[in-house]
Amino acid sequence: MRLDPDVAAQRAAVRAALADLAPGAAVLVACSGGADSLALAAATAFVAPRAGLRAGAVVVDHGLQPGSAAVAERAAAQCRGLGLDPVEVVRVDVAPDGGPEAGARTARYAALAEAAERHGAAAVLLGHTLDDQAETVLLGLARGSGARSLAGMPARRGVLRRPFLGVRRAATAHACAVLGLEPWHDPTNGPADDPGALPLRSRVRHEALPALEAVLGPGVAEALARTADQLREDADALAAAAADLLAAALAAGKGPPSGVGREPGEGASAAVLARAPDAVRRRALRDLLVRWGAPAGSLARVHVLAVDALVTDWRGQGPVSLPGGIRVARRYGRLTLAPDGEEEQRVDVDDMGQDLERVLLTREQIDARLAEMAAQIDADYVGRDLLLVGVLKGAVMVMADLSRHLHSPVEMDWMAVSSYGAGTSSSGVVRILKDLDTDLTGRHVLIVEDIIDSGLTLSWLLSNLRTRGAASVEIAALLRKPEAAKVEVNVRYVGFDIPSEFVVGYGLDYAEKYRNLPFVGTLAQHVYAD
C-alpha cells in the first residue's frame, strides 16, 4: 500500500528535527489531543525507535474547560496506543496574570520543562504548524512589533523543538484521518456561531487570514512563514551583536571616570552604547531593562526610546520610569537604576539657602557632563587649531572646567557682552564691553557660553564672529532654556536643557551675586520680586 504523502512528509520533518540526537536519547511529545499534536505523536512514534531513540508524551491539562481531565486522559490513551512510553498527564494551575491564554502558555511551558528534566529528555516536540506561524507573524504586524516578534516561533529554543513549522494544518488533520486517529477539537479554536466570542488568534485564523487570501490570492500563510524565516536570521544576528554591546557597556561602566565620583550598583557606559547603530543599541537597552527587572511583555518601544534618549540626546533629563516600577537614570556617564524615592537635592543653608529654592544641577552632574562634552569636542576637532572664546563673566567656570577636560591643545580668548543689566530676563540689546585680542582669520572658533536664554545675544555674537574670517564658528553651552527661545540658534554642544526659570550659581549671577556657588540652583522669587 502506498504511503500517504502527508504522513510521509510529517515523518520526514520529525526525522530531520531529531537527526542530531545520540542513540538512546529520550524525546517527549507535547500532546493536547488536537490534530496537530496527535499527528506529531504518530510521526514520532514511527521515527524514534527506528533512529534508536526513546519516545514518550506529556499531556498538559490546563483545567480551563469543563471535561478537560477526560480530554487529557483520552489524548494520553491515544499516545499509548501509538507505542509512546512513558505517557503522563500533568495538571497545572493557570495564573490569571496577562489573561487566560498567556497564563496557560506560561504554565504549559513550565510543566514541559519540568517533565523534560524529570524524564531526562533531550528534546520536547511541539506541534505548531505553518499556519500557527503565519498567525503569529500577522498578529505581530498588527501590533507593530519588532523583528524578533515578527520572526515568529523558532524551530528550536532550548529543549523545545517544532518539527511541523513547514507543515500545513490541513495536512495534520488528513494524516490523523489516514492513520485512524480521532483528534479533539478545541471549541476555542473555532469556528463558532459568534466569532466575537473566540480568542483573538482564533479570529485571525477564521476571519483575517481568509480575508487576506480572498483579496491577495492563495499563498498568504506561506508568505508570512517565509517572512518569519528571513527575519529570524536578521534577528539572531542583531541579538548576538546586542549581547556583545551590552557586555562591553557593562564592563566599561564598572570603573569610575577620571575625577568623577561613582554611584553604587551596576551601570552601562553611555559612551560605549552611543557608538553602536540604533538597531543594535536599542536591542541592547531592551535586554538591559529586562535584566534590571522590567517585564519583557510590558516593555514597549516608547519605553526603550525614552531610555535611548538618555544615551543619544542627553540634556540632563531626569530618570525614566518603566514597567515593573524601575527607574533608569544617567549618572556620571553611565545608565543606572535610580534609587526609589530619589528626590531633588535641597539647598544647604550654608550655600545661601534662603535665597535659593532648589539645586537644579549638582557639581558632580555638571562635571560629568562637561567631561562628556569635552570628549566629543576632542573627537570633532582632531588636527584643527581650536580657539575657545569665553563669554564673560558667566562662562568663566564653564570655560575653565571644560578646557581642563580637553586633551587637545587649545587657545583661549574672552569677550564681554551684556544684555541683562540687573534684570532677570534677557533684553536682546547687545553691547560689547570687551572685544577679542585674537585675529580669527582661518581659525576654528568654539564659543563657550554658560546659558542660552532667548538666544538673542548669542545669535548676534555668532553673526558678528562669522564676519571676521574664521574657518568655522560653533557653540558649546552648559545650559539652554528651550521654552525661552525667541530666535533659533544652532548649538553644537549642549550640556543640559532646563526649565525657563531664573538660575544662578556656577558662574551665573543675579545682580553680580551667587556666581561662586558650585552648583546651579533656582533663585527664590522673593529675591527679585518687586
Side-chain angles (χ1 to χ4, degrees):
M1 181 178 178
R2 182 174 176 271
L3 181 63
D4 182 85
D6 286 337
V7 173
Q10 291 161 32
R11 290 175 179 176
V14 171
R15 190 176 296 112
L18 303 181
D20 63 317
L21 299 184
V27 178
L28 293 176
V29 178
C31 185
S32 66
D36 300 338
S37 61
L38 203 54
L40 177 61
T44 305
F46 180 87
V47 170
R50 290 166 176 78
L53 304 174
R54 296 177 291 117
V58 178
V59 181
V60 178
D61 177 12
H62 301 94
L64 295 177
Q65 298 181 35
S68 64
V71 170
E73 289 298 340
R74 184 167 176 268
Q78 293 199 80
C79 287
R80 294 187 187 101
L82 290 168
L84 298 177
D85 182 48
V87 176
E88 68 170 325
V89 176
V90 179
R91 175 68 182 260
V92 296
D93 293 321
V94 176
D97 299 341
E101 287 183 84
R105 183 169 54 250
T106 299
R108 179 169 61 254
Y109 283 137
L112 293 176
E114 292 171 2
E117 184 174 356
R118 191 162 54 248
H119 295 288
V124 176
L125 306 186
L126 306 178
H128 296 114
T129 65
L130 183 148
D131 299 82
D132 294 309
Q133 187 75 299
E135 292 158 11
T136 299
V137 175
L138 190 55
L139 283 168
L141 284 169
R143 291 165 175 163
S145 302
R148 172 55 68 191
S149 179
L150 297 182
M153 298 173 286
R156 293 188 183 188
R157 177 175 291 165
V159 74
L160 302 178
R161 303 190 182 194
R162 297 179 172 89
F164 280 6
L165 288 181
V167 176
R168 295 302 304 264
R169 183 177 292 128
T172 63
H174 176 72
C176 287
V178 169
L179 297 172
L181 300 173
E182 298 180 4
W184 171 62
H185 298 286
D186 184 350
T188 65
N189 287 337
D193 294 335
D194 178 12
L198 294 174
L200 182 58
R201 179 178 287 273
S202 297
R203 297 195 63 185
V204 168
R205 178 177 307 166
H206 295 290
E207 298 177 62
L209 276 171
L212 285 174
E213 296 213 335
V215 174
L216 302 176
V220 171
E222 290 88 344
L224 289 170
R226 286 197 302 273
T227 296
D229 290 339
Q230 295 168 29
L231 281 173
R232 190 174 304 108
E233 296 171 358
D234 296 345
D236 289 344
L238 286 172
D244 291 342
L245 173 62
L246 181 55
L250 290 171
K254 289 181 179 178
S258 175
V260 181
R262 173 64 76 203
E263 293 181 347
E266 185 177 62
S269 167
V272 170
L273 290 166
R275 291 195 290 267
D278 290 351
V280 178
R281 182 182 62 255
R282 289 167 184 167
R283 278 177 175 269
L285 287 174
R286 190 181 191 282
D287 292 344
L288 178 64
L289 301 180
V290 173
R291 174 190 179 104
W292 282 350
S298 302
L299 202 57
R301 178 174 171 81
V302 65
H303 301 127
V304 176
L305 290 179
V307 176
D308 190 49
L310 298 178
V311 176
T312 62
D313 191 25
W314 174 238
R315 295 292 183 267
Q317 306 97 303
V320 176
S321 296
L322 298 165
I326 69 169
R327 299 164 72 236
V328 175
R330 177 164 172 162
R331 298 285 187 268
Y332 309 115
R334 66 179 193 155
L335 301 185
T336 63
L337 279 175
D340 291 338
E342 183 180 75
E343 297 179 354
E344 297 170 338
Q345 181 173 336
R346 293 295 168 184
V347 182
D348 189 277
V349 67
D350 294 333
D351 288 326
M352 309 174 199
Q354 294 181 350
D355 291 349
L356 304 180
E357 291 182 341
R358 62 192 175 101
V359 172
L360 194 62
L361 297 166
T362 66
R363 69 169 78 191
E364 292 82 10
Q365 288 175 297
I366 294 170
D367 191 57
R369 183 61 182 137
L370 288 176
E372 293 174 343
M373 292 170 65
Q376 187 61 55
I377 292 168
D378 277 331
D380 292 345
Y381 286 90
V382 171
R384 297 185 182 183
D385 186 16
L386 181 59
L387 173 68
L388 300 182
V389 172
V391 182
L392 295 170
K393 303 174 188 174
V396 169
M397 291 188 180
V398 180
M399 181 87 147
D401 288 344
L402 177 65
S403 63
R404 277 195 286 264
H405 282 296
L406 291 170
H407 294 92
S408 306
V410 295
E411 297 180 29
M412 300 183 192
D413 203 344
W414 299 89
M415 285 189 76
V417 298
S418 175
S419 65
Y420 275 87
T424 62
S425 62
S426 176
S427 65
V429 178
V430 181
R431 293 183 299 139
I432 296 180
L433 306 180
K434 178 199 176 300
D435 208 340
L436 297 173
D437 298 323
T438 306
D439 181 4
L440 300 188
T441 303
R443 302 297 299 273
H444 292 283
V445 177
L446 182 62
I447 302 171
V448 179
E449 263 282 27
D450 52 349
I451 190 168
I452 302 173
D453 196 331
S454 67
L456 295 170
T457 302
L458 194 56
S459 177
W460 180 91
L461 182 60
L462 190 64
S463 298
N464 182 286
L465 296 187
R466 283 177 172 167
T467 65
R468 303 189 188 191
S472 67
V473 183
E474 301 289 351
I475 301 167
L478 176 65
L479 305 175
R480 179 174 63 180
K481 297 180 181 178
E483 296 174 358
K486 294 182 179 178
V487 295
E488 184 175 347
V489 181
N490 185 20
V491 184
R492 187 163 185 177
Y493 309 100
V494 178
F496 303 92
D497 281 337
I498 64 171
S500 187
E501 302 176 85
F502 199 88
V503 292
V504 294
Y506 200 74
L508 297 158
D509 77 300
Y510 170 66
E512 294 302 322
K513 296 180 180 179
Y514 313 110
R515 293 190 192 275
N516 60 308
L517 293 176
F519 52 78
V520 174
T522 55
L523 191 64
Q525 188 173 1
H526 72 81
V527 176
Y528 56 86
D530 294 332

